[in-house]
Amino acid sequence: MHRFEYANAASLQAAQEQLKADGSVIKAGGIDLLDLLKEHLIQPARLVQLKSIPELSNVHFDPQRGLSIGPMLTLAQTIQHPLIKQHTPSLVQAAQAIATPQIRNLATLGGNLCQRPRCWYFRSEDFHCFKKGGRRCFAQEGENINHAIYNNTLCAMVHPSGIAGPLVALGASVTLLKPPAPDRRLIKTKPLPHQTQTLPIEDFFTPPERSLLRETILGPQDILTHIHIPPRSSHSRDLYLKQKHKESADWPLAEIAVSAEIEQGRCKSLRVVLGSAAPTPWRSKAVEDAILGKPLDDKHIQQAAKAVRQDAKPLAQNAYKLDLFETLVARALHALNHPASQGRP
Amino acid sequence: MSQEIKSKLGFPGQWQETTLRIPDDEPPPWDPSYKFQTVNKAVPRVDAFAKVTGRATYTTDIRKPGLLYGRLLVSSHPSATIKSIDVSKAKALTGVKAVIALPIKEVRFVGQEIAAVAATSSQIADDALRLIKVEYDPRPFVVDVETARKEGAPLVFPKRAAQAPEGKSANVTPQRITKRGDIEAGFKRAEHILEGQFRTQVQTHSCLEPHAFTAEWEGDQLTVWASTQSTFSVRDELAQVFEISPSKVRVFSEYMGGGFGSKFGARASGKLAAMLAKEAKAPVCLIPSRKEEHLTHGNRPNSVQHFKMGVRNDGTITAMQLTSYGTGGIAGGAAATRPMLGLYRCPNKLAIDEDVFTHAGPARAFRAPGHPQGAFSLEQMVDMCAEKIGMDPLQIRLQNDPHTVRRAQMELGAKRIGWDRRNKTPGTQKGPIMRGLGMASSLWYNTGSAGAEILVKIHKDGRVEAFSGGQDIGTGIRTLIAQVVAEELGIPLQLLHVHIGDTQHPYAPGSGGSKTTPCVTPAARKAAFLAKQKLFDLARTLLKLEPKTPMIAQQSRIFSKADPKMSVDWAQLTRYLPNGILSVQATRAHNYAAYNNIIAGVQFAEVEVDTQTGLIRVLKIVAVHDCGLVLNKLTARSQVNGGVIQGISYALFEDRILDPRTGQMVNPNFEHYKIAGSREIPEIDAVLFDVYAGSNNTHALGLGEPTTVPTAAAIANAVYNATGARLFELPMTPDRVLKALAQRRSPQK
C-alpha cells in the first residue's frame, strides 16, 4: 500500500506550511480521499488534516453581510444548524439528500465542493482518461447514462457536489487562503503576509475547457476558509430538489437548485442551477429568462421548463435527463409559489 | 423391508388419501391432525444471538497464528495471450511468503485469475500484486451478445471455429429445441396471436460475504475454512487437486454470508489459497475484492427472448413459442425457457434457446437459474393475451393453470392485495403519479432426494446434539434440525445443540436447488425417531411395561399410550442411559409418491409510477408461496422476504455494465452496481401456504429459489396496469420507463 504521512494542522498558517512539501494534500472528511487512494488514483506523500482547526467550522450571521459558514462543517451539522436552516433551506435540503447518515457524519461542506468527479471511467484506474492526463473521454462513445448533457464535448463528467447547486443559486462566494506571493524584495525583512481571495462560487469551479486535470481553481497550497451567502430579503425563497434512481444512498440523476425573489406571484429575480447536468453546476439562463417577471402559473411554468432543452446535447444514452430536468424545473417553479408542495408532483 | 401406509395429503379443501410405501424403520409423514409443539411454529433462529452480536465466526473472521493474507492478480484484458509473467520483484518484496503464477496461456475475460500472492499483511500482498509484470498480447474481443452472434465476431473459444451454426458465429452453441404437441396446430386454433421481444440484464450474485477461503496444512492434512454452499464439494475438489484422500481434507463452514448458487466447489480461489498455504508453509486467508466478486465469481446470464403466444376468445392458451438466447460470458446456462415449459396447461409448446459466448466472467447457477428471466417474458405475455380478449389476468391464469396449490394461492393472494382495485383501463389515471396492480406465477421442482445423514447423540444430562456436515446458506437449517429433533423427542428446543459445517460430520448435499431442508430434515427426524425407539425400550424396562407397549414422548415425558400415568421424565430417563450416551445415525430415504412434485407460488405487486420522471416505487408485494409443510414460520418468511427483495432489486436496479470498447466492467462496486436499499423495500406480505406434500417424513419441500422468480414480472405487469406502457426490458430504469411512456403517447415513433 502507498505510504503517507498524516499531519494534524494546528492552525491555518501551520496547514499551509505543511502543504508546502510536494505531494501534500488536504484531508477534510476523507470520504473522497479514501476512495481515490484505494483505487490508486492519487499517491499523496502527506495528508494535512484540517479538523484540528476549530474556526473552520464556525457559522456566523450578520444582517448586512449575510451568512458565513466554515467549510469544515459536516453535512450532518449543516442539517442541524439553526442559522443555516433559517436562512438557506435549500442548503439543508441538499445536505440531507447526500449519501448515508454515516457519510454525512464525516463528510464536510468543503470536501463536498472539492471532491473529484464520480464518472465511472475516471474512478477506475483501468481507464486513462483526459482527467488523468490521457487522450480521450471514454464516456463520449461509451456508457454515458449518468453523464453530462450540457458542455459535454470535451469531458462528459457531471459535477459531483450536491451543495454546489444551492450555493450558486444563492449567489454565494468563497474565500481562499493562498500562500504569500513570491518574495522578490531585495531586502527581506518580515515575511510577506498570506493572501486571501474572495470570489463568486461560480468562478471557483473550472469547466473542462479551462482545466481537464482539476475541477476548481484551488492551488496546491490554497485552503478554502469561508463560504459566504449574501443576506436574503423577506421575499426570497430557495429550494433544492434531487432525483435519484434509488431513494436509499445513490448518486443523483438530476438536481435543481432555485433561489428567487417573489413578488405578487412573479419572480423579480431568479437563479436556476441544474446539478448532475454538466461538468460544473449549470446555471440555466434559458429557464431564468423564460420565467423572469412572468406569472408563476402552469402555462408559464411549462414554457419555462421546456427551455432546459436549449443548449443541451445529450449523449447516446442520457437524453432522458431532459425529461427529468424539465420535470424538476416545473416542480421547483411551482413550489416557489406553493411552498407546501415541497416540489412533490 | 418396506410398509404401505395410508396418508392424508394435500391442503384444506383439497385433501386426498394416498398410499405411501415407506421403509420399515421410517416414521410416517406427520398426519394433518398431529398437534405440533415446535415444528410449524415461528421459532427464532437458534444462532440468531450469535449472529447479531458478532460472535458467529464467518470464514472472513478466521484468525490463525501466523496467518498470511492472500490476494489475486486478475486479467485486465478481456482477451489476450500471456507472453510472460515475471514474479521476481513480487517475490523479493519483504513480507511476501509465496507467489504462484498459474500456468495459463490465454485469458478470456477481465477478472480471470492469473497469479496469487501471500504476505504478512493484505497491504503488502496488494503491493506485491502490482510488482508482478504480465506481458499480454491483446486479441480482439467481444462482450456484447448481439455482436458476438454475428459471423466474423472475435471467437471466445477459437477451437470452436468449425462448429459455427449456419450464418452465425461459432460463439453460438447449437440450438436446444423442446417440442410439446403441435405448435402449428396450436397457432391455427388461436383466435389471436401475440408477440413480444423481451430483454433481461446480467445480474451478479453480490454475496455480502466474498468467496473467502482460509487454508492450513499440517503435513499432508489440509484444513479449509470456506464460505461455501457445499462443504463436501469443496473437500472433494481439493482432494482431487492435491491428489490426497478426502479423508485428509477437512472443510469448515459454520456460518456463511450468502451464496445464491455461486459458492459450489473450491474453484480457483479455494485452490490458490491451499496452494499458497502449501508453498508458504503457513495458513493463508484469501478474500476476493468486491471488484473481483463482480467480475469473476458468477452472474445470472442476460437474455433476449422472442415470445409468441396464441389464445382463444374464451381464454384458452393454445400455443406458446419462445426463441431465446443469452450470454453467460465464457460459460453457458442462459436458457430462459423453463417457466414457459413448466407453467400452464397449453399442450402445444416450442422452446428454442442457445448460449452465446462472450469475453466476460462465467455465469454460475443463480437463485432459480433461468426462471426470473423466463417469468418476465411469459407472465407479461399472459397479461397481454388477457387484455386482448378482455379478460382479467387473474381469470386467465386460473383457467389455464392446472396446479391446485397455485390456483388456491391465486385466490388467496388476490384477496390480500385487493385485486378488485386494479385499473380496469390501464393508464387512465389523472397523473402524474399512477398506481397499478400486477401478478405473476412461479414454479420450482426440487423436492429433495435420498442420502443426507444426521447423527443424533443423547447425553445422560438430557441434552441432545445433532450433527450434519452441511452448511447453512441462510435458510436456517441449524434451527430446522433442532426443531425436528426436539419435536420427535418431545423435548424443548433449549436441550438441542446442533453442529453443522464440518465435513467430519455426516454427509449433507450442497445447498442448491432449494433442497437443503427437504434433504436434511427427514434424516434428522428419522435419527431422532430411531433414538426414541431405544428410549422407549429403556422406559418400558424402567416402568416394568410389556415389551412393545405403545409409548409416547411428549412435553419432556415418556409414557404409555394406554396409561399416561405410567410415565418417566426425560431428565430421569436419560440418566439411565447405558454408558451415558445414546448415538444414532440415520439416512434420508427416497422420495415417496407426493401430493405435488411441482412447487407453486404467485406474487402480486402494487406500484406507483411517476410518469414525469419514470420512477417506479413498489408499494406492496403479496407473495404466496408453498414449501410443503412450513417447518418454521419465521425462517420461511425470511426466505420469502429475501427472494422478493432480490427480485425487486433485479427488476429495478441491478445491472452489470460492460464497456463495449474495452471489455471492462464500469460498475464493479456497490456504488454504481445498484442494489435495492432499505428505502426501496415495500411492505412484503409473505403468505405461507402449508401443503402436506408427503414426499418425505417432514413433508418439507424447497422455498429459497421460487420466491425470487415472479417478482420482476409482477412489477412489470403492475407498471402496465398503472400506466398502460409495457416494459419489455430489465432493469426498469427511469430512462426505459420514460421511453415506454413516450412510445405509448406516440406509437408511430
Side-chain angles (χ1 to χ4, degrees):
Chain A
M1 188 187 157
H2 176 74
R3 280 160 187 76
F4 53 78
E5 202 180 281
Y6 189 95
N8 279 312
S11 66
L12 278 170
Q13 284 67 31
Q16 249 178 350
E17 279 305 305
Q18 287 161 329
L19 285 168
K20 266 186 186 167
D22 274 356
S24 298
V25 298
I26 289 173
K27 178 189 167 291
I31 307 290
D32 185 39
L33 201 62
L34 186 63
D35 281 354
L36 295 167
L37 277 168
K38 281 164 74 178
E39 189 59 24
H40 303 273
L41 297 180
I42 54 168
Q43 281 91 36
R46 178 191 285 166
L47 309 187
V48 179
Q49 164 66 276
L50 301 186
K51 269 189 195 163
S52 37
I53 308 173
E55 64 259 39
L56 282 179
S57 305
N58 287 350
V59 181
H60 292 294
F61 180 72
D62 174 316
Q64 263 72 52
R65 301 175 60 189
L67 201 57
S68 167
I69 306 173
M72 285 298 287
L73 202 68
T74 67
L75 299 179
Q77 288 166 336
T78 303
I79 296 163
Q80 296 298 332
H81 204 286
L83 285 173
I84 302 177
K85 276 184 177 161
Q86 185 190 339
H87 294 285
T88 57
S90 61
L91 192 59
V92 173
Q93 289 156 358
Q96 213 150 23
I98 291 168
T100 62
Q102 291 95 325
I103 288 177
R104 292 196 292 270
N105 284 338
L106 284 174
T108 64
L109 292 175
N112 186 270
L113 289 174
C114 299
Q115 66 185 308
R116 304 301 312 274
R118 304 307 306 194
C119 166
W120 45 34
Y121 292 107
F122 172 74
R123 287 283 159 172
S124 161
E125 63 170 331
D126 298 322
F127 295 96
H128 193 54
C129 74
F130 274 146
K131 296 208 78 66
K132 291 176 263 184
R135 284 157 177 248
R136 57 192 275 207
C137 168
F138 290 86
Q140 302 289 345
E141 307 277 319
E143 294 296 328
N144 50 39
I145 192 161
N146 300 319
H147 287 78
I149 56 168
Y150 302 105
N151 192 26
N152 54 9
T153 48
L154 197 52
C155 162
M157 68 168 272
V158 293
H159 199 271
S161 170
I163 63 155
L167 290 178
V168 173
L170 291 163
S173 57
V174 289
T175 299
L176 314 180
L177 182 68
K178 302 176 85 67
D183 196 346
R184 295 202 181 84
R185 293 172 302 177
L186 286 174
I187 303 159
K188 297 179 170 65
T189 47
K190 287 194 298 187
L192 282 173
H194 289 261
Q195 316 178 83
T196 60
Q197 181 191 3
T198 298
L199 69 162
I201 194 163
E202 280 148 294
D203 299 335
F204 177 71
F205 302 115
T206 55
E209 61 272 21
R210 265 189 66 197
S211 158
L212 275 167
L213 298 178
R214 54 195 186 137
E215 295 81 34
T216 69
I217 61 158
L218 275 184
Q221 291 174 56
D222 296 353
I223 301 172
L224 174 61
T225 57
H226 297 84
I227 300 165
H228 311 276
I229 297 166
R232 325 258 301 133
S233 81
S234 59
H235 301 295
S236 300
R237 302 238 171 91
D238 61 304
L239 66 101
Y240 167 86
L241 302 176
K242 185 178 207 166
Q243 187 66 53
K244 300 189 288 182
H245 184 188
K246 289 198 312 183
E247 265 189 75
S248 306
D250 198 4
W251 293 97
L253 304 171
E255 303 157 273
I256 187 170
V258 179
S259 168
E261 278 187 291
I262 312 281
E263 276 179 20
Q264 291 161 345
R266 291 166 198 248
C267 295
K268 213 176 94 187
S269 70
L270 169 77
R271 278 173 167 237
V272 174
V273 183
L274 307 181
S276 303
T280 51
W282 189 256
R283 186 150 169 212
S284 181
K285 293 258 171 50
V287 171
E288 293 175 10
D289 292 346
I291 197 72
L292 205 62
K294 304 213 175 86
L296 281 167
D297 57 20
D298 281 355
K299 188 183 113 199
H300 288 94
I301 285 176
Q302 295 308 329
Q303 275 170 6
K306 289 213 163 32
V308 292
R309 292 173 193 269
Q310 287 176 32
D311 306 320
K313 288 191 198 73
L315 302 167
Q317 300 174 343
N318 65 7
Y320 74 99
K321 282 197 174 189
L322 289 170
D323 291 349
L324 294 190
F325 282 116
E326 191 180 322
T327 300
L328 287 190
V329 169
R331 288 179 185 176
L333 293 180
H334 180 80
L336 282 179
N337 224 10
H338 304 85
S341 83
Q342 296 181 319
R344 282 191 295 260
Chain B
M1 288 300 285
S2 62
Q3 47 175 330
E4 275 191 358
I5 57 159
K6 292 248 189 283
S7 220
K8 186 176 164 189
L9 301 181
F11 58 95
Q14 293 283 342
W15 295 115
Q16 65 183 43
E17 187 99 332
T18 308
T19 304
L20 300 180
R21 174 161 290 278
I22 71 169
D24 279 336
D25 58 352
E26 272 279 330
W30 284 306
D31 188 78
S33 65
Y34 175 76
K35 296 268 182 289
F36 290 106
Q37 300 297 312
T38 308
V39 162
N40 198 233
K41 308 280 182 218
V43 176
R45 289 172 195 248
V46 293
D47 47 13
F49 187 79
K51 284 183 176 179
V52 299
T53 55
R55 288 185 200 174
T57 311
Y58 290 78
T59 299
T60 46
D61 299 322
I62 300 291
R63 292 289 175 271
K64 311 291 295 177
L67 182 71
L68 300 176
Y69 297 83
R71 298 280 293 127
L72 293 170
L73 180 71
V74 300
S75 170
S76 51
H77 288 270
S79 175
T81 306
I82 294 181
K83 289 162 77 179
S84 66
I85 303 179
D86 180 2
V87 299
S88 54
K89 279 192 181 156
K91 268 190 173 154
L93 187 69
T94 310
V96 172
K97 301 295 178 187
V99 182
I100 288 167
L102 291 170
I104 48 167
K105 291 272 172 286
E106 316 282 341
V107 289
R108 297 183 209 281
F109 65 96
V110 173
Q112 186 171 342
E113 297 93 341
I114 295 175
V117 301
T120 49
S121 75
S122 60
Q123 289 80 5
I124 295 173
D126 265 334
D127 287 347
L129 289 185
R130 299 175 84 82
L131 292 173
I132 298 176
K133 286 277 162 291
V134 184
E135 210 184 334
Y136 295 97
D137 191 1
R139 291 197 316 218
F141 64 89
V142 59
V143 294
D144 165 62
V145 69
E146 306 293 353
T147 318
R149 280 166 58 80
K150 292 190 183 128
E151 259 182 314
L155 290 185
V156 177
F157 300 104
K159 280 183 186 162
R160 291 179 44 89
Q163 297 168 46
E166 182 74 30
K168 291 179 194 162
S169 159
N171 289 324
V172 182
T173 62
Q175 288 186 331
R176 278 178 296 257
I177 300 174
T178 312
K179 287 181 186 167
R180 307 253 171 86
D182 183 343
I183 193 75
E184 291 311 319
F187 282 120
K188 228 172 256 168
R189 256 199 84 210
E191 284 163 310
H192 308 277
I193 295 173
L194 289 101
E195 292 187 58
Q197 176 100 18
F198 301 84
R199 302 179 81 95
T200 63
Q201 79 282 34
V202 172
Q203 178 188 25
T204 69
H205 292 70
S206 298
C207 311
L208 286 188
E209 186 186 29
H211 291 64
F213 289 89
T214 295
E216 183 175 32
W217 291 87
E218 277 172 272
D220 67 345
Q221 172 83 42
L222 172 61
T223 307
V224 171
W225 290 261
S227 180
T228 181
Q229 59 192 90
S230 179
T231 49
F232 288 94
S233 77
V234 173
R235 181 195 67 178
D236 294 349
E237 196 181 333
L238 290 173
Q240 203 176 12
V241 168
F242 293 98
E243 295 177 340
I244 51 180
S245 160
S247 67
K248 296 277 187 192
V249 185
R250 184 173 187 182
V251 176
F252 288 105
S253 186
E254 233 199 307
Y255 293 95
M256 65 92 79
F260 311 110
S262 68
K263 285 185 179 167
F264 291 100
R267 300 194 194 249
S269 39
K271 287 176 218 167
L272 281 165
M275 285 161 80
L276 288 168
K278 196 165 192 176
E279 185 168 316
K281 297 184 173 59
V284 171
C285 138
L286 198 154
I287 306 173
S289 67
R290 182 53 59 190
K291 181 174 176 179
E292 289 154 14
E293 287 286 308
H294 280 299
L295 293 174
T296 318
H297 292 276
N299 56 68
R300 181 189 296 286
N302 65 3
S303 74
V304 179
Q305 308 178 49
H306 188 103
F307 217 122
K308 204 171 149 190
M309 197 178 274
V311 66
R312 291 181 64 79
N313 282 323
D314 67 1
T316 310
I317 299 173
T318 60
M320 288 183 183
Q321 180 181 313
L322 174 61
T323 312
S324 76
Y325 55 86
T327 181
I330 62 158
T337 51
R338 291 177 189 118
M340 62 83 73
L341 288 170
L343 278 162
Y344 303 112
R345 195 181 279 119
C346 170
N348 309 306
K349 292 181 181 178
L350 175 62
I352 303 172
D353 79 272
E354 40 188 44
D355 278 305
V356 183
F357 296 115
T358 52
H359 289 97
R364 291 186 191 171
F366 195 162
R367 201 169 194 169
H371 280 253
Q373 301 95 298
F376 182 67
S377 61
L378 170 68
E379 290 299 277
Q380 291 207 75
M381 288 300 301
V382 171
D383 266 39
M384 286 159 68
C385 284
E387 187 181 40
K388 188 81 194 172
I389 57 169
M391 194 180 245
D392 186 312
L394 171 66
Q395 195 50 45
I396 197 171
R397 284 181 175 82
L398 286 170
Q399 193 177 321
N400 285 281
D401 193 332
H403 201 300
T404 52
V405 174
R406 195 181 299 102
R407 285 210 307 271
Q409 290 174 337
M410 285 186 210
E411 310 259 15
L412 181 60
K415 265 189 212 124
R416 295 189 75 127
I417 194 88
W419 188 246
D420 303 345
R421 298 181 296 128
R422 65 185 285 281
N423 301 311
K424 299 301 171 271
T425 317
T428 48
Q429 289 166 59
K430 209 169 131 255
I433 303 289
M434 296 183 180
R435 282 191 177 200
L437 297 178
M439 67 178 293
S441 296
S442 66
L443 82 160
W444 195 246
Y445 332 90
N446 211 316
T447 53
S449 50
E453 298 182 311
I454 290 275
L455 171 65
V456 167
K457 291 182 185 175
I458 300 172
H459 295 275
K460 65 177 173 187
D461 65 351
R463 298 188 71 83
V464 179
E465 290 179 289
F467 298 83
S468 165
Q471 58 293 316
D472 182 8
I473 195 175
T475 51
I477 192 63
R478 193 183 262 114
T479 305
L480 302 181
I481 293 170
Q483 282 179 272
V484 167
V485 173
E487 182 74 47
E488 192 61 30
L489 296 177
I491 56 174
L493 205 60
Q494 292 69 27
L495 288 180
L496 262 293
H497 185 188
V498 181
H499 308 265
I500 63 165
D502 177 354
T503 52
Q504 290 198 350
H505 299 333
Y507 171 80
S511 295
S514 304
K515 67 177 182 226
T516 310
T517 304
C519 284
V520 173
T521 58
R525 184 169 173 224
K526 185 174 178 181
F529 173 82
L530 295 176
K532 188 171 74 173
Q533 306 312 314
K534 297 192 177 181
L535 291 173
F536 283 171
D537 287 343
L538 186 62
R540 289 186 196 103
T541 313
L542 285 174
L543 297 168
K544 299 189 173 58
L545 293 167
E546 290 295 312
K548 298 205 173 162
T549 307
M551 305 291 287
I552 287 176
Q554 215 175 65
Q555 289 174 329
S556 299
R557 284 169 59 238
I558 312 280
F559 53 91
S560 157
K561 191 178 176 185
D563 182 5
K565 274 179 291 183
M566 296 303 287
S567 151
V568 55
D569 280 351
W570 176 264
Q572 208 180 344
L573 179 68
T574 52
R575 248 180 264 147
Y576 287 94
L577 280 173
N579 309 318
I581 188 164
L582 170 60
S583 301
V584 178
Q585 186 162 328
T587 307
R588 200 257 199 207
H590 286 289
N591 284 340
Y592 315 140
Y595 174 78
N596 60 327
N597 286 314
I598 302 290
I599 297 159
V602 63
Q603 291 183 10
F604 293 80
E606 179 169 13
V607 304
E608 190 176 83
V609 183
D610 184 334
T611 52
Q612 290 172 342
T613 62
L615 215 77
I616 298 169
R617 234 180 109 84
V618 183
L619 301 175
K620 184 172 183 172
I621 299 279
V622 173
V624 194
H625 288 276
D626 57 299
C627 52
L629 180 73
V630 176
L631 298 186
N632 184 335
K633 289 180 177 170
L634 270 184
T635 58
R637 199 179 304 151
S638 288
Q639 283 301 296
V640 178
N641 288 340
V644 168
I645 289 169
Q646 205 163 27
I648 291 171
S649 200
Y650 178 63
L652 304 181
F653 305 110
E654 295 188 44
D655 195 1
R656 183 200 66 182
I657 304 171
L658 299 183
D659 179 58
R661 303 196 147 207
T662 59
Q664 304 275 352
M665 180 174 175
V666 293
N667 56 345
N669 45 48
F670 281 156
E671 181 179 353
H672 290 299
Y673 184 92
K674 298 184 184 187
I675 294 188
S678 55
R679 299 256 187 115
E680 281 64 58
I681 312 306
E683 178 190 352
I684 301 171
D685 182 12
V687 186
L688 295 157
F689 197 94
D690 270 329
V691 179
Y692 282 77
S695 53
N696 61 59
N697 67 35
T698 63
H699 298 286
L701 299 177
L703 182 63
E705 285 166 290
T707 55
T708 205
V709 171
T711 317
I715 292 171
N717 280 336
V719 169
Y720 182 81
N721 184 243
T723 63
R726 193 161 283 291
L727 272 294
F728 291 94
E729 187 165 3
L730 288 178
M732 294 178 267
T733 48
D735 59 312
R736 290 187 178 131
V737 175
L738 288 170
K739 200 183 281 176
L741 287 163
Q743 238 149 26
R744 178 173 191 258
R745 280 192 295 269
S746 43
Q748 64 277 11
K749 271 189 197 165

